Amino acid sequence: MTIFDHCIPGVDEAFAVVGTSEKGFVSLNLTVRLPPGHSSLPPKETAVGILATAVAAIEHTPHINMFGRGPEVEMFSSLSPLVNFPVRVVLSNLWIFSPIVSRLLSHDRATNALIRTTTAVTMFQGGVKSNVVPSSAWAVVNHRIHPAQSIQEVIDYDTMIINDPRVETQVMASSTPHPVSPASDDTFGYQTIRKSIQQVFHELTVVPGVLVANTDTKWYLNLTEQIYRFTPVWNRREDIPRYHGNNERIGIKNYEQTINFYYHVMTNSNIERVEVHSHQEL
């Protein structure tokens, strides 16, 4: 995870999110195969049309809202001191207001990714000539799976939504969601990262959360339960679309802070007890 500055509506202070879990993923190949022919004598439905209907159904029917079943609840409850009344009352009492909060979060692109398995149609191909009815069409759908769901549940949901046996589904690649790592006051790994963040970024609020992308932490799952994901990059709302997009960048000052942060992580990891100190930024 990273540092967010005015990225979540209602939270007007910057805060850092340490990923205590990580979404899984599955890339599905959807294929439709039909007899080819000439476009002057078209069938009622073509492979492209059938596949387009299936893809539209998947896009227009998002996976269920999982708010309350993953680390996102602790994240938002921990943000309550940063918001004004009456939002503070809501976030401090999610056991009452979860249905309202989850509905509101689903309307924003950034927060929606935290509370459900997401769907992205990333590839689509069908036909090779303008006057030939294609014999096949295929598309790739990439899901990022919420920690409370399984790969099979996602596939079963898509199959139910498509509801067309002519659409073949095949798993291209997948990775299961990661378990949630502890983030208590006596968890050395989490607290080492938290203290290092606050030493470099001047007492910035640090909260646990779920990483919506994927990392190499999968190779450490059999080694320890304390697995965390954090990159000390400062993000404002306009920076989010830059990931894998146009003008992806990092500021010079933030680059210096990044080096300083990793120095603190290594130093703090080598002592029995982490003590907080602060200093001027580089």
Side-chain angles (χ1 to χ4, degrees):
M1 299 297 284
T2 186
I3 298 171
F4 296 100
D5 186 1
H6 291 78
C7 291
I8 295 181
V11 183
D12 295 329
E13 294 185 30
F15 61 94
V17 181
V18 176
T20 55
S21 182
E22 181 176 310
K23 276 188 164 185
F25 82 91
V26 61
S27 291
L28 300 176
N29 180 285
L30 308 181
T31 301
V32 177
R33 310 176 198 274
L34 291 176
H38 197 279
S39 62
S40 62
L41 299 171
K44 183 178 180 179
E45 294 179 290
T46 67
V48 172
I50 295 170
L51 184 60
T53 299
V55 167
I58 292 177
E59 281 196 324
H60 296 155
T61 315
H63 284 252
I64 61 175
N65 191 320
M66 304 295 290
F67 186 75
R69 300 176 61 182
E72 68 278 354
V73 172
E74 187 175 359
M75 170 184 167
F76 283 100
S77 62
S78 299
L79 289 175
S80 59
L82 302 185
V83 298
N84 296 323
F85 183 87
V87 180
R88 181 177 300 178
V89 175
V90 173
L91 294 184
S92 299
N93 295 277
L94 289 175
W95 61 282
I96 299 176
F97 297 107
S98 283
I100 298 174
V101 173
S102 63
R103 182 178 292 272
L104 292 174
L105 294 176
S106 66
H107 292 299
D108 185 86
R109 174 183 177 184
T111 55
N112 181 63
L114 300 174
I115 63 174
R116 61 163 35 92
T117 294
T118 55
T119 300
V121 181
T122 55
M123 301 176 70
F124 196 112
Q125 183 172 324
V128 295
K129 205 167 186 293
S130 62
N131 65 339
V132 176
V133 175
S135 60
S136 66
W138 60 268
V140 174
V141 179
N142 181 260
H143 292 292
R144 297 304 170 115
I145 306 171
H146 188 276
Q149 284 189 299
S150 68
I151 294 172
Q152 191 58 51
E153 286 175 333
V154 172
I155 296 173
D156 292 343
Y157 185 87
D158 282 1
T159 302
M160 178 188 69
I161 295 303
I162 294 172
N163 193 28
D164 190 336
R166 296 173 297 180
V167 181
E168 305 170 11
T169 302
Q170 181 179 7
V171 176
M172 300 174 62
S174 65
S175 178
T176 58
H178 291 191
V180 180
S181 296
S184 61
D185 291 340
D186 59 353
T187 303
F188 182 80
Y190 181 83
Q191 293 304 326
T192 296
I193 297 172
R194 183 180 70 84
K195 298 297 185 183
S196 300
I197 294 171
Q198 293 179 334
Q199 287 166 354
V200 175
F201 294 96
H202 298 282
E203 300 302 317
L204 197 69
T205 297
V206 180
V207 299
V210 59
L211 179 65
V212 299
N214 296 120
T215 68
D216 287 334
T217 54
K218 63 183 179 181
W219 304 114
Y220 301 95
L221 292 176
N222 294 327
L223 179 64
T224 177
E225 66 173 3
Q226 295 190 38
I227 298 177
Y228 305 100
R229 307 140 186 93
F230 181 75
T231 300
V233 176
W234 199 282
N235 284 284
R236 293 173 176 80
R237 193 169 187 84
E238 60 269 21
D239 295 320
I240 303 299
R242 292 193 175 103
Y243 284 100
H244 290 338
N246 294 328
N247 199 20
E248 192 168 12
R249 65 192 185 187
I250 182 173
I252 296 175
K253 178 181 178 180
N254 196 184
Y255 177 71
E256 295 171 342
Q257 291 171 322
T258 298
I259 298 172
N260 196 14
F261 166 77
Y262 287 117
Y263 166 79
H264 278 78
V265 169
M266 289 185 286
T267 301
N268 291 331
S269 297
N270 197 39
I271 59 179
E272 183 176 350
R273 181 178 179 181
V274 178
E275 295 182 1
V276 178
H277 75 274
S278 61
H279 49 72
Q280 296 298 318
E281 298 180 8
L282 290 173

